[in-house]
């Protein structure tokens, strides 16, 4: 199945972003992440930043985070999905 023709949408994804140990790079990444629309940020714990993506397709934002200087890793911890067929045939 082609990813773009999936029968579900992911309106909510929870991630943990691991920021760089370099404080300058981490601060720059954090500033960029704070400015990004569609994200709800949790409380920074050391170099770990929990956040929620509220979008039907989280992949572009996930890729953006992974490519962002100052981000070491992006872990998906939760991904909600809703099948269209569940609304048609409950």
């Amino acid at each position: 199945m082609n990813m773009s023709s999936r029968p579900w949408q992911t309106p909510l994804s929870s991630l943990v972003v691991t920021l760089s140990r370099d404080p300058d790079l981490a601060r720059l990444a954090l500033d960029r992440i704070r400015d990004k629309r569609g994200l709800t940020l949790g409380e920074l714990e050391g170099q770990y930043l929990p956040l929620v993506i509220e979008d039907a397709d989280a992949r572009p934002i996930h890729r953006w985070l992974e490519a962002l200087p100052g981000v070491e890793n992006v872990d998906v911890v939760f991904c909600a999905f809703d099948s269209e067929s569940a609304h048609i045939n409950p």
Side-chain angles (χ1 to χ4, degrees):
M1 174 185 284
N2 181 331
M3 289 292 283
S4 63
S5 65
R6 297 180 307 176
W8 65 84
Q9 297 295 316
T10 55
L12 186 70
S13 298
S14 298
L15 310 175
V16 175
V17 174
T18 304
L19 297 172
S20 173
R21 292 178 192 265
D22 178 314
D24 293 329
L25 276 176
R27 187 172 35 260
L28 289 172
L30 186 56
D31 288 346
R32 299 265 325 265
I33 293 168
R34 283 183 176 138
D35 290 340
K36 185 77 170 169
R37 295 180 68 186
L39 299 179
T40 301
L41 306 185
E43 202 169 314
L44 184 63
E45 293 287 334
Q47 70 185 108
Y48 304 103
L49 177 66
L51 60 84
V52 173
I53 299 173
E54 297 179 42
D55 197 305
D57 186 356
R59 292 172 296 174
I61 296 175
H62 188 181
R63 286 190 291 267
W64 175 81
L65 286 165
E66 288 180 316
L68 193 60
V71 170
E72 290 185 3
N73 195 44
V74 180
D75 291 303
V76 177
V77 294
F78 177 80
C79 191
F81 57 92
D82 186 18
S83 172
E84 290 177 19
S85 62
H87 297 294
I88 298 169
N89 300 314

